[in-house]
Tab-separated table of all heavy atoms in Angstrom:
chain	number	residue	atom	x	y	z
A	138	ALA	N	76.256	-1.695	122.326
A	138	ALA	CA	75.804	-2.726	121.386
A	138	ALA	C	75.830	-2.199	119.954
A	138	ALA	O	76.189	-2.926	119.018
A	138	ALA	CB	74.399	-3.192	121.748
A	139	LEU	N	75.473	-0.948	119.762
A	139	LEU	CA	75.525	-0.362	118.436
A	139	LEU	C	76.959	-0.329	117.911
A	139	LEU	O	77.210	-0.626	116.738
A	139	LEU	CB	74.936	1.050	118.455
A	139	LEU	CG	73.436	1.161	118.693
A	139	LEU	CD1	73.022	2.617	118.819
A	139	LEU	CD2	72.652	0.490	117.570
A	140	GLU	N	77.900	0.017	118.781
A	140	GLU	CA	79.298	0.060	118.358
A	140	GLU	C	79.819	-1.331	118.040
A	140	GLU	O	80.522	-1.531	117.048
A	140	GLU	CB	80.149	0.720	119.436
A	140	GLU	CG	81.583	0.939	119.004
A	140	GLU	CD	82.357	1.839	119.952
A	140	GLU	OE1	81.737	2.502	120.803
A	140	GLU	OE2	83.598	1.876	119.835
A	141	ARG	N	79.474	-2.321	118.869
A	141	ARG	CA	79.919	-3.691	118.612
A	141	ARG	C	79.367	-4.201	117.277
A	141	ARG	O	80.079	-4.855	116.508
A	141	ARG	CB	79.476	-4.625	119.740
A	141	ARG	CG	80.275	-4.496	121.022
A	141	ARG	CD	80.013	-5.671	121.942
A	141	ARG	NE	78.610	-5.800	122.291
A	141	ARG	CZ	78.026	-5.184	123.323
A	141	ARG	NH1	78.747	-4.377	124.104
A	141	ARG	NH2	76.749	-5.369	123.585
A	142	SER	N	78.105	-3.922	117.010
A	142	SER	CA	77.498	-4.419	115.773
A	142	SER	C	78.031	-3.683	114.550
A	142	SER	O	78.092	-4.249	113.459
A	142	SER	CB	75.970	-4.329	115.848
A	142	SER	OG	75.534	-3.009	116.067
A	143	LEU	N	78.443	-2.430	114.713
A	143	LEU	CA	79.108	-1.743	113.612
A	143	LEU	C	80.449	-2.395	113.293
A	143	LEU	O	80.843	-2.472	112.121
A	143	LEU	CB	79.313	-0.269	113.951
A	143	LEU	CG	78.149	0.674	113.682
A	143	LEU	CD1	78.449	2.057	114.234
A	143	LEU	CD2	77.836	0.752	112.188
A	144	ALA	N	81.133	-2.866	114.325
A	144	ALA	CA	82.415	-3.535	114.090
A	144	ALA	C	82.244	-4.779	113.228
A	144	ALA	O	83.141	-5.145	112.470
A	144	ALA	CB	83.059	-3.906	115.426
A	145	ALA	N	81.068	-5.429	113.323
A	145	ALA	CA	80.799	-6.601	112.488
A	145	ALA	C	80.527	-6.218	111.045
A	145	ALA	O	80.707	-7.034	110.131
A	145	ALA	CB	79.609	-7.380	113.052
A	146	ALA	N	80.083	-4.974	110.832
A	146	ALA	CA	79.694	-4.529	109.493
A	146	ALA	C	80.795	-3.776	108.767
A	146	ALA	O	80.683	-3.539	107.563
A	146	ALA	CB	78.451	-3.647	109.585
A	147	LEU	N	81.844	-3.398	109.479
A	147	LEU	CA	82.931	-2.604	108.914
A	147	LEU	C	84.239	-3.395	108.965
A	147	LEU	O	84.368	-4.355	109.730
A	147	LEU	CB	83.088	-1.298	109.694
A	147	LEU	CG	81.877	-0.361	109.714
A	147	LEU	CD1	82.036	0.690	110.813
A	147	LEU	CD2	81.688	0.301	108.353
A	148	SER	N	85.202	-2.970	108.190
A	148	SER	CA	86.507	-3.617	108.249
A	148	SER	C	87.227	-3.203	109.534
A	148	SER	O	87.020	-2.099	110.048
A	148	SER	CB	87.358	-3.223	107.040
A	148	SER	OG	87.670	-1.843	107.081
A	149	PRO	N	88.097	-4.067	110.079
A	149	PRO	CA	88.830	-3.715	111.294
A	149	PRO	C	89.651	-2.434	111.139
A	149	PRO	O	89.762	-1.646	112.085
A	149	PRO	CB	89.731	-4.933	111.524
A	149	PRO	CG	89.006	-6.067	110.879
A	149	PRO	CD	88.344	-5.468	109.671
A	150	SER	N	90.202	-2.201	109.962
A	150	SER	CA	91.026	-1.008	109.777
A	150	SER	C	90.194	0.256	109.878
A	150	SER	O	90.647	1.265	110.442
A	150	SER	CB	91.749	-1.067	108.430
A	150	SER	OG	90.822	-1.130	107.369
A	151	PHE	N	88.973	0.233	109.369
A	151	PHE	CA	88.109	1.413	109.465
A	151	PHE	C	87.754	1.687	110.922
A	151	PHE	O	87.822	2.832	111.390
A	151	PHE	CB	86.839	1.192	108.646
A	151	PHE	CG	85.944	2.403	108.579
A	151	PHE	CD1	86.057	3.307	107.537
A	151	PHE	CD2	84.987	2.644	109.561
A	151	PHE	CE1	85.232	4.432	107.471
A	151	PHE	CE2	84.161	3.754	109.504
A	151	PHE	CZ	84.292	4.659	108.460
A	152	VAL	N	87.399	0.650	111.655
A	152	VAL	CA	87.035	0.813	113.066
A	152	VAL	C	88.208	1.367	113.862
A	152	VAL	O	88.039	2.255	114.708
A	152	VAL	CB	86.548	-0.536	113.646
A	152	VAL	CG1	86.326	-0.415	115.151
A	152	VAL	CG2	85.263	-0.985	112.956
A	153	ASP	N	89.421	0.869	113.587
A	153	ASP	CA	90.593	1.304	114.338
A	153	ASP	C	91.042	2.714	113.963
A	153	ASP	O	91.473	3.487	114.834
A	153	ASP	CB	91.761	0.332	114.092
A	153	ASP	CG	91.514	-1.028	114.719
A	153	ASP	OD1	90.643	-1.127	115.619
A	153	ASP	OD2	92.168	-1.999	114.293
A	154	ASP	N	90.939	3.044	112.668
A	154	ASP	CA	91.513	4.303	112.184
A	154	ASP	C	90.556	5.479	112.231
A	154	ASP	O	90.997	6.633	112.195
A	154	ASP	CB	92.007	4.134	110.741
A	154	ASP	CG	93.133	3.117	110.618
A	154	ASP	OD1	93.751	2.790	111.648
A	154	ASP	OD2	93.380	2.640	109.490
A	155	ARG	N	89.254	5.225	112.335
A	155	ARG	CA	88.291	6.318	112.237
A	155	ARG	C	87.239	6.257	113.349
A	155	ARG	O	86.042	6.167	113.101
A	155	ARG	CB	87.645	6.284	110.848
A	155	ARG	CG	88.704	6.439	109.763
A	155	ARG	CD	88.247	6.040	108.393
A	155	ARG	NE	87.526	7.110	107.721
A	155	ARG	CZ	87.161	7.059	106.435
A	155	ARG	NH1	87.485	6.019	105.689
A	155	ARG	NH2	86.501	8.059	105.889
A	156	PRO	N	87.694	6.293	114.584
A	156	PRO	CA	86.761	6.167	115.712
A	156	PRO	C	85.733	7.291	115.759
A	156	PRO	O	84.601	7.077	116.228
A	156	PRO	CB	87.679	6.186	116.939
A	156	PRO	CG	88.930	6.872	116.478
A	156	PRO	CD	89.096	6.466	115.046
A	157	GLY	N	86.087	8.490	115.298
A	157	GLY	CA	85.135	9.586	115.299
A	157	GLY	C	83.950	9.315	114.403
A	157	GLY	O	82.800	9.648	114.753
A	158	GLU	N	84.201	8.720	113.247
A	158	GLU	CA	83.109	8.403	112.331
A	158	GLU	C	82.242	7.280	112.891
A	158	GLU	O	81.013	7.294	112.728
A	158	GLU	CB	83.661	8.037	110.957
A	158	GLU	CG	84.343	9.215	110.271
A	158	GLU	CD	84.679	8.921	108.821
A	158	GLU	OE1	83.892	8.225	108.159
A	158	GLU	OE2	85.733	9.396	108.364
A	159	VAL	N	82.862	6.307	113.537
A	159	VAL	CA	82.076	5.248	114.180
A	159	VAL	C	81.170	5.842	115.254
A	159	VAL	O	79.996	5.478	115.372
A	159	VAL	CB	83.008	4.169	114.765
A	159	VAL	CG1	82.211	3.165	115.599
A	159	VAL	CG2	83.771	3.459	113.653
A	160	GLU	N	81.705	6.773	116.030
A	160	GLU	CA	80.910	7.417	117.079
A	160	GLU	C	79.705	8.150	116.488
A	160	GLU	O	78.598	8.087	117.028
A	160	GLU	CB	81.780	8.388	117.867
A	160	GLU	CG	81.066	9.050	119.038
A	160	GLU	CD	81.976	9.964	119.833
A	160	GLU	OE1	83.206	9.952	119.592
A	160	GLU	OE2	81.458	10.700	120.692
A	161	ARG	N	79.906	8.847	115.370
A	161	ARG	CA	78.785	9.534	114.732
A	161	ARG	C	77.742	8.543	114.224
A	161	ARG	O	76.532	8.786	114.326
A	161	ARG	CB	79.293	10.414	113.585
A	161	ARG	CG	79.914	11.723	114.058
A	161	ARG	CD	80.125	12.688	112.922
A	161	ARG	NE	81.123	12.222	111.965
A	161	ARG	CZ	82.426	12.423	112.115
A	161	ARG	NH1	82.894	13.069	113.173
A	161	ARG	NH2	83.281	11.984	111.205
A	162	MET	N	78.195	7.424	113.690
A	162	MET	CA	77.257	6.401	113.214
A	162	MET	C	76.434	5.829	114.359
A	162	MET	O	75.244	5.540	114.199
A	162	MET	CB	78.007	5.303	112.475
A	162	MET	CG	78.382	5.664	111.056
A	162	MET	SD	79.134	4.263	110.192
A	162	MET	CE	80.852	4.764	110.213
A	163	VAL	N	77.055	5.654	115.497
A	163	VAL	CA	76.312	5.191	116.676
A	163	VAL	C	75.193	6.173	117.005
A	163	VAL	O	74.049	5.767	117.299
A	163	VAL	CB	77.272	5.004	117.872
A	163	VAL	CG1	76.487	4.836	119.176
A	163	VAL	CG2	78.182	3.799	117.645
A	164	GLU	N	75.475	7.458	116.946
A	164	GLU	CA	74.453	8.467	117.234
A	164	GLU	C	73.319	8.414	116.217
A	164	GLU	O	72.138	8.485	116.574
A	164	GLU	CB	75.089	9.854	117.248
A	164	GLU	CG	76.087	10.067	118.382
A	164	GLU	CD	76.822	11.388	118.274
A	164	GLU	OE1	76.594	12.107	117.266
A	164	GLU	OE2	77.626	11.693	119.171
A	165	TRP	N	73.664	8.286	114.944
A	165	TRP	CA	72.631	8.210	113.911
A	165	TRP	C	71.787	6.958	114.083
A	165	TRP	O	70.555	7.002	113.934
A	165	TRP	CB	73.273	8.215	112.526
A	165	TRP	CG	73.978	9.491	112.183
A	165	TRP	CD1	73.668	10.752	112.610
A	165	TRP	CD2	75.127	9.631	111.344
A	165	TRP	NE1	74.554	11.669	112.095
A	165	TRP	CE2	75.457	11.019	111.315
A	165	TRP	CE3	75.905	8.738	110.614
A	165	TRP	CZ2	76.534	11.505	110.572
A	165	TRP	CZ3	76.979	9.229	109.880
A	165	TRP	CH2	77.280	10.596	109.862
A	166	ARG	N	72.434	5.843	114.401
A	166	ARG	CA	71.702	4.594	114.571
A	166	ARG	C	70.729	4.685	115.742
A	166	ARG	O	69.623	4.144	115.682
A	166	ARG	CB	72.673	3.433	114.781
A	166	ARG	CG	73.532	3.113	113.573
A	166	ARG	CD	74.309	1.829	113.786
A	166	ARG	NE	73.406	0.689	113.834
A	166	ARG	CZ	73.769	-0.528	114.225
A	166	ARG	NH1	75.009	-0.759	114.637
A	166	ARG	NH2	72.898	-1.510	114.222
A	167	ALA	N	71.149	5.354	116.796
A	167	ALA	CA	70.294	5.470	117.978
A	167	ALA	C	68.981	6.175	117.658
A	167	ALA	O	67.940	5.881	118.268
A	167	ALA	CB	71.027	6.206	119.098
A	168	SER	N	69.002	7.085	116.695
A	168	SER	CA	67.793	7.845	116.382
A	168	SER	C	67.011	7.299	115.197
A	168	SER	O	65.829	7.627	115.040
A	168	SER	CB	68.153	9.315	116.110
A	168	SER	OG	68.972	9.431	114.965
A	169	GLU	N	67.627	6.449	114.364
A	169	GLU	CA	66.968	6.049	113.119
A	169	GLU	C	66.768	4.547	112.940
A	169	GLU	O	65.910	4.149	112.147
A	169	GLU	CB	67.768	6.568	111.914
A	169	GLU	CG	67.873	8.074	111.808
A	169	GLU	CD	68.594	8.503	110.536
A	169	GLU	OE1	68.579	7.733	109.547
A	169	GLU	OE2	69.173	9.593	110.531
A	170	ASP	N	67.540	3.717	113.634
A	170	ASP	CA	67.503	2.289	113.344
A	170	ASP	C	66.265	1.600	113.916
A	170	ASP	O	65.583	2.122	114.791
A	170	ASP	CB	68.763	1.606	113.873
A	170	ASP	CG	69.951	1.775	112.942
A	170	ASP	OD1	69.870	2.603	112.020
A	170	ASP	OD2	70.971	1.087	113.151
A	171	ALA	N	65.996	0.391	113.414
A	171	ALA	CA	64.827	-0.388	113.810
A	171	ALA	C	64.962	-0.933	115.223
A	171	ALA	O	66.073	-1.209	115.703
A	171	ALA	CB	64.639	-1.549	112.834
A	172	ASP	N	63.814	-1.111	115.879
A	172	ASP	CA	63.825	-1.832	117.150
A	172	ASP	C	63.918	-3.332	116.869
A	172	ASP	O	63.943	-3.771	115.711
A	172	ASP	CB	62.603	-1.479	118.005
A	172	ASP	CG	61.274	-1.911	117.393
A	172	ASP	OD1	61.255	-2.769	116.482
A	172	ASP	OD2	60.233	-1.386	117.837
A	173	ARG	N	63.978	-4.120	117.932
A	173	ARG	CA	64.237	-5.545	117.760
A	173	ARG	C	63.168	-6.245	116.917
A	173	ARG	O	63.487	-7.057	116.037
A	173	ARG	CB	64.338	-6.234	119.129
A	173	ARG	CG	64.638	-7.727	119.059
A	173	ARG	CD	66.009	-7.999	118.459
A	173	ARG	NE	66.272	-9.424	118.299
A	173	ARG	CZ	67.420	-9.932	117.850
A	173	ARG	NH1	68.416	-9.127	117.541
A	173	ARG	NH2	67.578	-11.215	117.714
A	174	ALA	N	61.897	-5.945	117.153
A	174	ALA	CA	60.825	-6.631	116.433
A	174	ALA	C	60.879	-6.322	114.943
A	174	ALA	O	60.763	-7.226	114.098
A	174	ALA	CB	59.470	-6.239	117.008
Side-chain angles (χ1 to χ4, degrees):
L139 291 175
E140 186 168 346
R141 285 194 301 272
S142 59
L143 276 173
L147 300 165
S148 66
S150 60
F151 185 93
V152 173
D153 291 342
D154 297 343
R155 300 164 83 171
E158 294 190 36
V159 172
E160 183 178 350
R161 282 193 294 275
M162 281 185 256
V163 167
E164 294 173 356
W165 294 329
R166 293 189 67 192
S168 64
E169 297 184 25
D170 279 12
D172 65 18
R173 181 65 184 183

